[in-house]
Amino acid sequence: MPPRRLRESPSPPSPILPKKPKCHAGAHLARPLERIRMLLNKLLQHEDGWVFAKPVDPLSLGLRDYYSDISNPMDLGTVSRRLDGNRYMDLHSFARDVRLTFHNAMVYNDKGDDVYESAAELSEIFESGWASIEQVLPSPPSITDRRMKLKDELPRLSKDLQRRAVVIMKDINAWLQEANGRVQVDFDKADEATLDKLEWLVLLGAMQQEEGTLDSPRSCDA
């Protein structure tokens, strides 16, 4: 595979300054959240950070096989928007997305290529900064625990959000049937990426409930 050379950044990326913490994971995580924002800013302000600041555009870059090799794209700009929008149920999910960003780059590009080496360097910076942050965080829930929690929470969502959950489960062939307003899904097929999407729907439902915009829920069985 030919090297994917880094292009010069047209202009330095704007700094992402830490914002006042507002996280659904709990007030006790305010300080770690501030440190996480600083760590993400450090990655984006790295001289090669711009390479990972936006989603890869396979069309403009002529990477016709990109989606064949990379099934779950991720970039630091998306991570930043998710963090700003309180889309992470816990801060370990943030770490998974950052790691996915660099993992994808190192899977698609060959070792020795500029993009590969930049991803490896930024990954080391992240892991070094994340290690001390992770020490003060609660242990991440297991996949089994996350699945069980979602089985309990999804039936309480609004009809619109439950329909969106069905679409997510259909994408991984985990949707079984729908009859008389009841949906059955196979949560055992849900991987971490799918669980992240479903947990975001639960978080969105909680925010809607706070604003009083929820409609009546229907039943969703697993």
Side-chain angles (χ1 to χ4, degrees), residues 68-88:
S68 298
D69 296 337
I70 305 301
S71 59
N72 192 15
M74 185 52 60
D75 64 276
L76 297 183
T78 298
V79 172
S80 179
R81 288 189 295 275
R82 288 183 174 183
L83 192 63
D84 290 343
N86 301 311
R87 290 192 56 172
Y88 291 114

Side-chain angles (χ1 to χ4, degrees), residues 103-207:
H103 172 77
N104 286 346
M106 295 169 72
V107 166
Y108 187 72
N109 296 275
D110 295 329
K111 188 173 184 179
D113 290 353
D114 290 342
V115 174
Y116 181 104
E117 297 303 327
S118 293
E121 180 179 351
L122 285 170
S123 178
E124 289 183 4
I125 293 173
F126 171 74
E127 295 299 343
S128 177
W130 175 253
S132 61
I133 298 173
E134 188 176 30
Q135 291 178 358
V136 301
L137 296 178
S139 299
S142 67
I143 290 183
T144 299
D145 289 341
R146 294 173 70 190
R147 288 169 177 163
M148 292 298 295
K149 186 176 181 181
L150 283 168
K151 286 180 181 180
D152 179 61
E153 292 177 331
L154 288 182
R156 304 174 186 174
L157 296 180
S158 66
K159 293 179 181 179
D160 176 64
L161 292 180
Q162 286 199 26
R163 282 192 291 267
R164 292 168 64 176
V166 169
V167 171
I168 292 172
M169 298 304 282
K170 279 184 176 180
D171 287 343
I172 60 170
N173 297 317
W175 178 79
L176 300 181
Q177 63 182 355
E178 182 176 3
N180 299 322
R182 300 179 68 84
V183 176
Q184 293 184 338
V185 294
D186 182 4
F187 277 92
D188 290 338
K189 292 185 177 181
D191 57 11
E192 286 193 343
T194 301
L195 294 175
D196 285 344
K197 295 176 184 178
L198 294 174
E199 287 170 345
W200 160 239
L201 291 182
V202 172
L203 180 56
L204 181 59
M207 291 188 290

Side-chain angles (χ1 to χ4, degrees), residues 58-75:
L59 183 61
S60 66
L61 295 175
L63 310 178
R64 298 181 179 179
D65 60 346
Y66 187 77
Y67 291 124
S68 298
D69 296 337
I70 305 301
S71 59
N72 192 15
M74 185 52 60
D75 64 276

